[in-house]
Amino acid sequence: MVELKTDTSIDAMYAAGQVLGRALTAVRQAADVGVSLLELDEVARGVLREAGAGSPFLGYRPSFAPTAFPAVICASVNDAIVHGIPTRYRLRDGDLVSIDGGAELDGWVGDSAISFTVGEPRPADVRLIETAERALAAGIEAAVVGNRIGDIAHAIGTVCRDGGYGIPEGFGGHGIGRRMHEDPGVPNEGRPGRGYPLRHGMALAIEPMLIASGRDGYHAAADGWTLRTDDGSRAAHVEHTVAITDSGPRILTARC
């Protein structure tokens, strides 16, 4: 069931989103050659703690997971697409890093992700990340009253495929509110004019995931959480929580 949020609830989600935005900004600033993924998780924990916010990631255990998630961020490096568990791995020059995080404040949730490079960037990685961000922008632009979920999916998929990138099937965005994952699902590829109609008060996490090689294959790593590309190519993941309003899409996790 799709829950429509009141304007007051959307404002509360914006407050949670701003905490998360600060956490992701702090993680990005702390990420450098030699810094461990566990240290980045500690940075995010500190921002959430200071704001009196919780983490919808920490302890989360969906049906596919062998264990509860042990961190407040997902940290996915190079060929990891999403859901990477922070470890003692220390970042190296040229790494491509995707950080996905959540914040829960006063019962409302924000969900957002960023991708960036550490040290000297590879031109191919820069293009991959820029395309992911353009796909996200296209998806948000399509998130207007009167459109449908398929319009968002089509906008994202068109940018990804036109760039020559792969899209992991079965993973995409979702509704969000008092829980991190709500109806409806938001695929990263689809047909325009199809799917659930967009209405004022809907809140969606829109999150393109791109595979550099142009192939779509992926698999779950031994930890049961991390999704990796089948061919070892690099991946990027970006995300915003967005409210559908009569005056246009409102990004609730915008970062200063």
Side-chain angles (χ1 to χ4, degrees):
M1 183 179 70
V2 175
E3 176 193 357
L4 298 181
K5 280 71 177 177
T6 66
D7 292 347
T8 299
S9 297
I10 290 173
D11 287 341
M13 291 184 68
Y14 178 81
Q18 293 311 287
V19 173
L20 177 55
R22 293 198 298 273
L24 291 178
T25 297
V27 168
R28 175 67 184 92
Q29 292 172 344
D32 203 354
V33 174
V35 176
S36 77
L37 301 181
L38 280 174
E39 288 170 334
L40 296 183
D41 186 66
E42 284 300 323
V43 169
R45 287 176 189 250
V47 175
L48 296 182
R49 184 167 52 247
E50 183 178 351
S55 167
F57 285 27
L58 185 63
Y60 180 60
R61 188 178 182 182
S63 58
F64 68 80
T67 58
F69 198 77
V72 303
I73 60 170
C74 297
S76 306
V77 180
N78 297 333
D79 66 326
I81 307 168
V82 287
H83 302 164
I85 296 175
T87 65
R88 292 185 176 86
Y89 175 85
R90 295 192 176 276
L91 295 173
R92 301 170 183 173
D93 186 54
D95 276 347
L96 193 165
V97 184
S98 297
I99 302 292
D100 188 3
E104 184 173 6
L105 185 68
D106 297 328
W108 295 99
V109 177
D111 189 4
S112 186
I114 56 175
S115 286
F116 54 88
T117 58
V118 174
E120 185 67 26
R122 300 182 183 185
D125 290 343
V126 173
R127 178 175 174 269
L128 175 65
I129 294 169
E130 288 177 346
T131 305
E133 291 173 345
R134 285 195 293 108
L136 176 58
I140 293 172
E141 186 177 0
V144 296
V145 173
N147 273 357
R148 292 177 176 267
I149 290 293
D151 294 301
I152 298 175
H154 178 71
I156 293 170
T158 297
V159 173
C160 295
R161 295 302 189 188
D162 285 353
Y165 297 115
I167 301 171
E169 184 179 356
F171 285 86
H174 48 87
I176 187 170
R178 290 195 177 276
R179 293 177 291 113
M180 182 165 57
H181 294 118
E182 298 183 352
D183 292 331
V186 186
N188 285 327
E189 193 167 30
R191 298 177 64 182
R194 301 295 182 92
Y196 199 89
L198 304 182
R199 298 169 58 189
H200 178 90
M202 291 176 65
L204 304 173
I206 300 174
E207 49 179 323
M209 305 167 195
L210 282 66
I211 298 175
S213 66
R215 301 183 180 92
D216 298 348
Y218 66 91
H219 62 275
D223 62 21
W225 276 99
T226 309
L227 298 185
R228 296 190 178 276
T229 61
D230 280 348
D231 57 12
S233 62
R234 294 188 170 201
H237 172 215
V238 293
E239 176 185 18
H240 271 308
T241 296
V242 179
I244 312 299
T245 79
D246 288 330
S247 57
R250 180 183 179 188
I251 300 175
L252 305 181
T253 48
R255 295 176 287 275
C256 299

